[in-house]
């Protein structure tokens, strides 16, 4: 309740200042590998839920690093499932302000879909998206519904997804 109130208050302050704030916490990211906190790593379901809540509310790399360090300090090194979860969360942090709705990683490509409503409400962001992807037709395929397909030369993987997310954030996030 308090978190939602604080988020709404922050958005109202931005609106009063005449600034558009784009943050989409509900980005769907699919990597086709298990990504979760295993029962073997944290056996208490209440504690696992506490960490899931912290991770879902995480909006910065500093916060994510603090949670990661805390997990390692308390529970020790973690396995692939949790590493995959952190790849997803890092990707999400990069993409929070980009207007992206979903991301899908396959072995050969990375597909992203922008939220048309967010782009229609923010011409500056829309222009940057179009410029980034339309000007490189040999690298990116963009559709009229603002979906983009990127096929890296050596196939797609989690590291490529993270690098691509960082590039998108650097190129299109409004100043």
């Amino acid at each position: 309740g308090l978190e939602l109130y604080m988020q709404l208050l922050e958005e109202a302050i931005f609106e009063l200042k005449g600034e558009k704030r784009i943050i989409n916490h509900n980005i769907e990211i699919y990597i086709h590998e298990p990504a979760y906190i295993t029962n073997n790593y944290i056996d208490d379901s209440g504690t696992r839920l506490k960490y899931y809540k912290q991770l879902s509310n995480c909006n910065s790399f500093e916060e994510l690093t603090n949670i990661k360090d805390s997990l390692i300090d308390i529970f020790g090194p973690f396995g692939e499932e949790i590493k995959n979860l952190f790849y997803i969360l890092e990707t999400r942090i990069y993409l929070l302000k980009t207007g992206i709705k979903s991301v899908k990683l396959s072995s050969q490509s990375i597909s992203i879909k922008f939220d048309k409503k967010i782009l229609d409400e923010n011409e500056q962001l829309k222009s940057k998206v179009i410029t980034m992807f339309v000007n490189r037709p040999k690298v990116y395929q963009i559709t009229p519904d603002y979906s983009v397909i990127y096929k890296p030369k050596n196939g797609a993987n989690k590291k490529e997804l993270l690098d691509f997310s960082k590039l998108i954030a650097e190129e299109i996030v409004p100043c």
Side-chain angles (χ1 to χ4, degrees):
L2 179 61
E3 291 167 16
L4 178 61
Y5 172 76
M6 293 303 291
Q7 181 182 349
L8 291 172
L9 182 61
E10 192 174 343
E11 287 173 11
I13 291 169
F14 272 94
E15 193 173 312
L16 287 172
K17 290 180 178 179
E19 300 174 8
K20 290 232 181 211
R21 185 162 170 240
I22 303 159
I23 293 189
N24 182 7
H25 292 280
N26 299 320
I27 303 170
E28 297 174 14
I29 302 172
Y30 305 97
I31 65 167
H32 296 292
E33 292 184 35
Y36 62 97
I37 301 172
T38 63
N39 295 348
N40 295 341
Y41 190 70
I42 300 177
D43 60 359
D44 179 60
S45 61
T47 305
R48 261 194 328 276
L49 285 174
K50 179 186 100 171
Y51 277 102
Y52 276 126
K53 182 172 173 57
Q54 288 177 10
L55 291 168
S56 71
N57 291 327
C58 187
N59 293 321
S60 73
F61 291 106
E62 183 180 353
E63 286 177 80
L64 190 61
T65 300
N66 289 341
I67 295 169
K68 188 186 289 188
D69 291 345
S70 172
L71 283 170
I72 291 169
D73 287 348
I74 296 169
F75 302 103
F78 39 76
E80 278 305 304
E81 296 89 354
I82 300 173
K83 288 178 186 177
N84 292 339
L85 179 61
F86 278 100
Y87 266 107
I88 288 172
L89 294 166
E90 288 174 37
T91 299
R92 184 178 68 96
I93 290 170
Y94 277 123
L95 301 178
L96 279 174
K97 298 178 184 179
T98 62
I100 289 177
K101 186 178 185 174
S102 65
V103 178
K104 185 176 181 181
L105 173 68
S106 71
S107 62
Q108 297 301 313
S109 66
I110 300 169
S111 303
I112 59 175
K113 184 170 181 78
F114 285 88
D115 188 322
K116 186 175 179 345
K117 182 181 176 196
I118 290 174
L119 292 182
D120 287 343
E121 292 173 356
N122 189 316
E123 286 299 319
Q124 180 186 14
L125 179 64
K126 186 178 192 176
S127 175
K128 287 184 176 189
V129 167
I130 291 169
T131 301
M132 177 178 180
F133 296 112
V134 170
N135 288 341
R136 299 179 193 139
K138 292 182 180 179
V139 179
Y140 307 116
Q141 299 169 8
I142 186 166
T143 65
D145 70 343
Y146 299 106
S147 293
V148 175
I149 299 172
Y150 168 52
K151 294 183 179 180
K153 291 179 185 175
N154 298 322
N157 57 45
K158 295 175 288 195
K159 170 88 170 75
E160 190 72 43
L161 172 62
L162 205 54
D163 292 344
F164 184 47
S165 299
K166 183 178 180 182
L167 174 69
I168 292 170
E170 289 171 350
E171 295 229 0
I172 70 171
V173 171
C175 300

